[in-house]
Amino acid sequence: MPARILIIEENPANLELVRYLLTARGHEVLGAVDGQKGVAAALVEHPDLIITDLQMPVLDGYRVLKQLREEPSMNGLPIIVVTAFSMPEDKTRVMTAGFSGYMSKPIVPKKFGQEIELFLPHGLRKQGDDG
């Protein structure tokens, strides 16, 4: 069963790469180009997972997390950060803030889909280990 995954990423090339990789695994992918549009899309679309960058216009990833965690309908929704901030203290800051997971850029296309699917309920993961 495919998952509905929302990607919040201001860089069009990064957004399209992640969309391609997850679509290739059979998932439905929604996109937003800034944090404010991402929050609005999440509240309307109710995705199974959100992948967000940290540094974005309008609302950064931390403010996206804060707004979504304040919404009862988003309770338990996994929100993953994929960011160029890759120092050990960056990961600590992300996880302390309450994100469900952290991945640093650049992503490794061959492994990305499998790594993201670890945050999905078992029934929404692609069967097998290809991709």
Side-chain angles (χ1 to χ4, degrees):
M1 173 180 218
R4 298 183 79 220
I5 301 174
L6 172 61
I7 305 163
I8 309 172
E9 168 65 66
E10 84 286 358
N11 181 299
N14 291 343
L15 177 62
E16 286 310 308
L17 174 60
V18 172
R19 180 189 308 271
Y20 172 79
L21 294 171
L22 295 174
T23 301
R25 293 186 69 84
H27 300 298
E28 179 183 350
V29 179
L30 311 164
V33 295
D34 66 49
Q36 185 175 24
K37 290 177 181 164
V39 169
L43 296 174
V44 170
E45 300 292 341
H46 300 283
D48 300 303
L49 172 72
I50 294 176
I51 300 168
T52 186
D53 194 2
L54 287 178
Q55 193 170 20
M56 297 180 293
V58 188
L59 290 179
D60 68 15
Y62 291 105
R63 291 175 59 201
V64 167
L65 176 73
K66 182 180 184 310
Q67 287 191 14
L68 291 175
R69 292 296 186 229
E70 291 173 351
E71 290 292 329
S73 65
M74 299 287 107
N75 189 26
L77 175 69
I79 303 174
I80 310 305
V81 166
V82 178
T83 182
F85 295 115
S86 59
M87 299 301 290
E89 60 270 16
D90 295 321
K91 181 177 182 180
T92 300
R93 189 176 306 118
V94 162
M95 298 309 291
T96 300
F99 286 96
S100 307
Y102 165 93
M103 295 174 71
S104 64
K105 293 177 185 173
I107 63 172
V108 178
K110 192 163 183 104
K111 296 181 181 181
F112 182 76
Q114 291 172 321
E115 292 171 349
I116 288 298
E117 286 181 356
L118 295 175
F119 296 98
L120 291 170
H122 193 328
L124 296 178
R125 297 178 191 172
K126 182 176 178 180
Q127 298 301 312
D129 61 351
D130 58 330

